[in-house]
Amino acid sequence: HVQPGTGSADALLGLNISHAIDRFTLAANALYAARTEGTAGDTRHQFGNGVTYDVTGLYRLYPATPPGPTTSIAFGVAGEQRNREKMNGVTMSGTEGHVLYLNTGLLVMPFPQWIMELNYRPAIYHNLPANAVGAPQLGEAYKVTLSLTTFFR
């Protein structure tokens, strides 16, 4: 992205569905981001609207049946698509694109309301057009994330 930290207020809309049978779970997620304009110094900037998504299968390694702490592995695909950015109201070519990742992970649920997850996502497809001066966009070769999630009742 061209200018991080613009102070824009962006709307997010997400959907998460999953279905489990025995040790297997199939999960799909999508998150749409509607970006608004912000400023950095004298420059007005708006990131392009975008969608992140994934479809992932999970297999519970331990135990065979809950309850109790569980450990699972994950395998699937994930992606990010974003539209063109604007600077001072002018649409900037070469700021849009799509990246597809292989999604692999390890999930541990030490307690019923907590999930610890480690993901490794190597990029398997880049569609990142060159910018206005013909220079290629930079795209990640991989992503690694570690997350901690809790559920509220």
Side-chain angles (χ1 to χ4, degrees):
H1 295 289
V2 176
Q3 182 61 54
T6 63
S8 68
D10 303 334
L12 302 173
L13 177 64
L15 176 67
N16 176 309
I17 58 174
S18 64
H19 183 70
I21 299 174
D22 297 322
R23 290 179 176 227
F24 296 96
T25 300
L26 182 63
N29 302 282
L31 181 66
Y32 177 77
R35 310 289 187 193
T36 62
E37 187 176 84
T39 58
D42 294 333
T43 303
R44 297 186 339 266
H45 187 270
Q46 182 176 348
F47 288 109
N49 295 343
V51 175
T52 58
Y53 60 89
D54 74 85
V55 177
T56 302
L58 295 104
Y59 179 75
R60 187 176 55 249
L61 297 172
Y62 177 82
T65 58
T70 63
T71 302
S72 302
I73 55 172
F75 187 79
V77 294
E80 300 174 359
Q81 183 279 327
R82 67 178 182 270
N83 296 333
R84 290 181 175 174
E85 300 176 12
K86 292 182 181 179
M87 187 176 301
N88 294 322
V90 177
T91 300
M92 301 167 37
S93 64
T95 57
E96 74 280 9
H98 183 228
V99 180
L100 187 65
Y101 300 92
L102 186 64
N103 187 23
T104 62
L106 177 66
L107 290 82
V108 176
M109 289 184 72
F111 308 104
Q113 292 165 287
W114 290 90
I115 299 174
M116 294 184 298
E117 185 174 2
L118 176 63
N119 282 97
Y120 172 67
R121 291 181 172 180
I124 56 176
Y125 172 77
H126 284 102
N127 179 10
L128 303 171
N131 65 22
V133 295
Q137 290 187 60
L138 299 178
E140 299 95 351
Y142 63 90
K143 290 185 172 194
V144 176
T145 59
L146 177 62
S147 63
L148 180 63
T149 305
T150 187
F151 301 100
F152 298 101
R153 291 182 185 201

